[in-house]
């Protein structure tokens, strides 16, 4: 239920907040997302709300409600915070506005487990336990532009290529094991590879034409791939259980 801040320069650790309260003793943090300037962090909870915290003053500056189940994933696009929930919906919130909730993206049939805005802010990708990935235009308040149904498991990993516009990588669970690459402008499947393991997260390198994937059952490893050849550069072993999440520092 607690959130800690770690200062990479000093190694200092401070507690930002604890979302468990007397009225909600079992509440926990279900997602975190920094805004671009690093001054605020969005905190989503198991009790369906989204809090915006000012890191310097260490106080909650607003709480946004509306979802009817826990919020699993969030992604910023300038002043717009998008949130994906177990209630199958994605909300767009304008954090500057009093009436923050201005759009609902409906279409997924099960829990939304990941969302990511494209680097240019024109498209949002969403992955779900319904085994689909959907692409939504920034201007869209209705249906998805594309629905990719190639996966045989939940689509938990999403990553936009930083150097090749409209290129999205997706990764799916242990019943599927594939990384797939899509052109989100045309809807074309560009390539796919069977990784032999559940795909949990994906990260593009900002310095090389490479992609890193993290895995669960059965290898519990990290793999580095050349792109676009998908030649394997390295397997990195050591974790005993699935590697649920990876993060890259802002300087790459």
């Amino acid at each position: 239920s607690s959130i800690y801040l770690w200062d990479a320069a000093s190694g200092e650790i401070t507690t930002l907040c604890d979302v468990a309260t007397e009225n909600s003793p079992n509440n926990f943090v279900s997602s975190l997302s920094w805004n671009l300037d690093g001054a605020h962090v969005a905190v989503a909870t198991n009790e369906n709300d989204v809090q915006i915290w000012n890191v310097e003053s260490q106080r909650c500056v607003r709480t946004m409600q509306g979802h009817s189940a826990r919020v699993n994933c969030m992604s910023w696009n300038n002043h717009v915070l998008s949130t994906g929930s177990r209630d199958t919906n994605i909300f767009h919130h304008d954090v500057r506005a009093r009436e923050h909730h201005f759009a609902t993206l409906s279409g997924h049939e099960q829990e939304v487990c990941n969302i990511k805005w494209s680097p240019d802010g024109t498209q949002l990708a969403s992955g779900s336990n319904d085994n689909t990935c959907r692409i939504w235009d920034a201007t869209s308040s209705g249906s998805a532009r594309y629905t990719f149904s190639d996966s045989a498991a939940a689509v938990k990993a999403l990553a936009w290529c930083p150097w090749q516009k409209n290129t999205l990588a997706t990764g799916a669970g242990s019943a599927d094991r594939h990384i797939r690459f899509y052109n989100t402008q045309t809807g074309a499947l560009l390539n796919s590879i069977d990784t032999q393991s559940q795909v949990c997260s994906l990260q593009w390198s900002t310095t090389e034409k490479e992609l890193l994937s993290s895995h669960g059952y059965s290898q519990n490893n990290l793999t580095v791939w050349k792109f676009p050849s998908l030649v394997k550069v390295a397997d990195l072993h050591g974790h005993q259980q699935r590697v649920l999440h990876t993060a890259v520092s802002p300087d790459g």
Side-chain angles (χ1 to χ4, degrees), residues 5-6 8 35 43 92 106 121 129 133-134 148 171 174 177 191 193 198 201 240:
L5 300 173
W6 173 66
N35 74 337
V43 177
H92 290 330
S106 300
N129 286 6
C133 169
R134 293 172 193 245
F148 302 132
S174 51
R177 309 178 307 191
N191 207 344
I193 188 163
Q198 171 191 29
S201 76
Q240 301 300 308

Side-chain angles (χ1 to χ4, degrees), residues 121-133:
T122 61
Q123 292 184 317
L124 180 76
S126 60
S128 169
N129 286 6
D130 65 12
N131 304 353
T132 69
C133 169

Side-chain angles (χ1 to χ4, degrees), residues 3-7 12-18 34 38-41 43 51-62:
I3 295 170
Y4 298 97
L5 300 173
W6 173 66
D7 186 318
E12 188 182 356
I13 299 167
T14 52
T15 305
L16 178 67
C17 65
D18 190 321
W34 288 98
H40 294 86
V41 63
V43 177
Q51 303 167 9
I52 308 290
W53 282 77
N54 180 302
V55 175
E56 194 173 351
S57 65
Q58 297 195 4
R59 66 187 186 90
C60 181
V61 293
R62 78 177 303 177

Side-chain angles (χ1 to χ4, degrees), residues 54-216:
N54 180 302
V55 175
E56 194 173 351
S57 65
Q58 297 195 4
R59 66 187 186 90
C60 181
V61 293
R62 78 177 303 177
T63 300
M64 303 185 296
Q65 290 163 326
H67 283 293
S68 58
R70 77 172 178 213
V71 178
N72 300 303
C73 48
M74 300 184 286
S75 185
W76 289 90
N77 186 7
N78 294 320
H79 54 269
V80 172
L81 177 64
S82 300
T83 57
S85 170
R86 201 175 197 167
D87 67 14
T88 75
N89 293 315
I90 298 163
F91 286 178
H92 290 330
H93 310 268
D94 184 336
V95 299
R96 306 167 304 175
R98 183 178 171 84
E99 300 298 326
H100 55 86
H101 177 202
F102 69 90
T104 300
L105 308 181
S106 300
H108 282 299
E109 294 169 12
Q110 291 186 45
E111 187 164 3
V112 181
C113 46
N114 200 357
I115 57 174
K116 287 274 173 70
W117 278 102
S118 61
D120 63 5
T122 61
Q123 292 184 317
L124 180 76
S126 60
S128 169
N129 286 6
D130 65 12
N131 304 353
T132 69
C133 169
R134 293 172 193 245
I135 305 298
W136 314 81
D137 288 327
T139 53
S140 162
S141 57
S143 56
R145 177 172 185 164
Y146 295 115
T147 299
F148 302 132
S149 307
D150 306 293
S151 297
V155 181
K156 282 197 163 61
L158 300 171
W160 291 93
C161 182
W163 69 81
Q164 192 165 299
K165 191 174 162 68
N166 303 318
T167 300
L168 176 74
T170 71
S174 51
D176 182 83
R177 309 178 307 191
H178 282 72
I179 301 171
R180 293 182 175 84
F181 300 88
Y182 294 97
N183 181 322
T184 61
Q185 195 61 37
T186 64
L189 175 64
L190 302 173
N191 207 344
S192 69
I193 188 163
D194 186 346
T195 68
Q196 303 296 315
S197 290
Q198 171 191 29
V199 184
C200 299
S201 76
L202 294 167
Q203 300 286 353
W204 292 94
S205 169
T206 54
T207 55
E208 304 284 338
K209 296 283 174 73
E210 292 177 351
L211 178 81
L212 177 132
S213 54
S214 82
H215 299 276

